[in-house]
Amino acid sequence: MLVSETAHLDPETPNISRIYDYYLGGAFNLPADRERATVIKSVLPGMEMLARFNRGFLRRSVAFMVDQGITQFLDLGSGLPTAGNTHEVAQARDPHAKVVYVDYEPVAVALGEQILRGNPNAVMVEADARRPDELFGHPGVRGMLDLDRPLGVMMTGVMVFVGDHEDPVGLMKAYRDVCAPGSYIALSHLTDERADPETKVQVHAMVEAYKGVIEQLYVRDRAGVEALFDGMTLVEPGVTLMPEWNPRPGLDIPTGSPAHHLGYAAVGRVD
């Protein structure tokens, strides 16, 4: 996740990566994180389910990419590499799959390095996903990934931190242009377009509750998310609600949670 450069290792300060880990049932969170998570859930009761829908999409899209022959992944704004993250899914299918996790938040990087210690095919890199030129010049990225071969780029919950004034379409194009033909980019994004009036109010209250932990959150409608895939071929079913992107029969069962309607997801192929 993209967070303020003032973030530090103070255990008394809530941390977005650890809060997300808490939502997913992970073990890398502290009392300050759980306290803030409780506040956030009090204004948006579906927040925990939204996080789980997001992680479910990540897992399905990584599995899809491995099945298409992708053997290397770049996970942007990854947060902590725990609770069923990219390397676990990819390496379960292909033990030699390589994964670079990217985050510019010091806590996520420090903990991520500990979690990945001993895994020669997965690394944690401290870099800003909004600066792709610097990111791709990082020795940790260059040493792990072969950019002449197809790449799987994970952008789950990343563009929600990029406002229109920061040219999100141009940022996506920068990543698309680096990727070799046959690469895929997976993206999920917060939305309130299909939420009922009460839930819309809760979404914006949640945005306020996150202030002080992360930067500004942005919501986009379906057209805004589709625009991010300009120049790519969308994989079926295109831009859809997160739990509805190629659900696994018997495993990904839609629920009655309002969170069902709060996130769009899609995967684009670079041709």
Side-chain angles (χ1 to χ4, degrees), residues 45-78:
M47 186 63 218
E48 186 169 316
M49 185 60 71
L50 181 62
R52 293 178 182 273
F53 283 151
N54 191 51
R55 180 50 53 89
F57 166 68
L58 179 144
R59 292 173 62 85
R60 298 193 305 277
S61 57
V62 169
F64 165 82
M65 292 182 198
V66 174
D67 290 346
Q68 306 310 304
I70 299 297
T71 60
Q72 53 179 0
F73 293 84
L74 179 67
D75 192 329
L76 301 174
S78 62

Side-chain angles (χ1 to χ4, degrees), residues 138-243:
H138 192 290
V141 176
R142 297 173 63 87
M144 184 67 74
L145 304 179
D146 179 357
L147 298 181
D148 291 327
R149 296 192 298 110
L151 179 66
V153 180
M154 310 307 297
M155 302 183 75
T156 53
V158 172
M159 298 303 288
V160 70
F161 298 100
V162 181
D164 289 343
H165 64 286
E166 297 176 285
D167 188 17
V169 173
L171 179 59
M172 285 287 289
K173 181 179 184 300
Y175 281 101
R176 185 195 74 201
D177 289 349
V178 169
C179 290
S183 297
Y184 291 88
I185 298 179
L187 180 146
S188 59
H189 203 294
L190 179 69
T191 188
D192 64 356
E193 182 177 30
R194 295 178 61 177
D196 59 52
E198 179 182 358
T199 304
K200 283 189 178 184
V201 171
Q202 292 174 345
V203 168
H204 291 278
M206 178 268 292
V207 170
E208 291 298 314
Y210 262 120
K211 287 184 177 178
V213 181
I214 54 176
E215 297 178 359
Q216 177 67 45
L217 286 171
Y218 300 91
V219 297
R220 289 188 169 92
D221 59 16
R222 181 173 180 172
V225 174
E226 287 179 339
L228 298 174
F229 287 92
D230 181 51
M232 287 178 271
T233 301
L234 284 172
V235 172
E236 291 294 334
V239 176
T240 187
L241 295 172
M242 285 193 297

Side-chain angles (χ1 to χ4, degrees), residues 11-87:
E12 301 301 320
T13 300
N15 175 268
I16 181 58
S17 297
R18 296 192 310 245
I19 289 173
Y20 191 61
D21 176 71
Y22 171 67
Y23 289 147
L24 295 173
F28 294 89
N29 51 81
L30 299 174
D33 310 309
R34 296 189 285 273
E35 182 177 338
R36 180 57 67 94
T38 299
V39 171
I40 294 168
K41 288 194 294 183
S42 72
V43 296
L44 182 62
M47 186 63 218
E48 186 169 316
M49 185 60 71
L50 181 62
R52 293 178 182 273
F53 283 151
N54 191 51
R55 180 50 53 89
F57 166 68
L58 179 144
R59 292 173 62 85
R60 298 193 305 277
S61 57
V62 169
F64 165 82
M65 292 182 198
V66 174
D67 290 346
Q68 306 310 304
I70 299 297
T71 60
Q72 53 179 0
F73 293 84
L74 179 67
D75 192 329
L76 301 174
S78 62
L80 300 179
T82 184
N85 216 318
T86 300
H87 76 283

Side-chain angles (χ1 to χ4, degrees), residues 91-143:
Q91 292 175 358
R93 283 175 133 75
D94 178 358
H96 302 292
K98 296 182 177 181
V99 179
V100 174
Y101 290 104
V102 176
D103 209 299
Y104 87 170
E105 198 277 305
V107 174
V109 174
L111 287 175
E113 289 174 342
Q114 295 178 28
I115 293 167
L116 297 174
R117 190 172 296 149
N119 188 328
N121 291 324
V123 297
M124 190 88 198
V125 166
E126 185 171 352
D128 189 337
R130 291 169 294 193
R131 299 171 184 166
D133 289 343
E134 295 178 16
L135 188 156
F136 284 110
H138 192 290
V141 176
R142 297 173 63 87

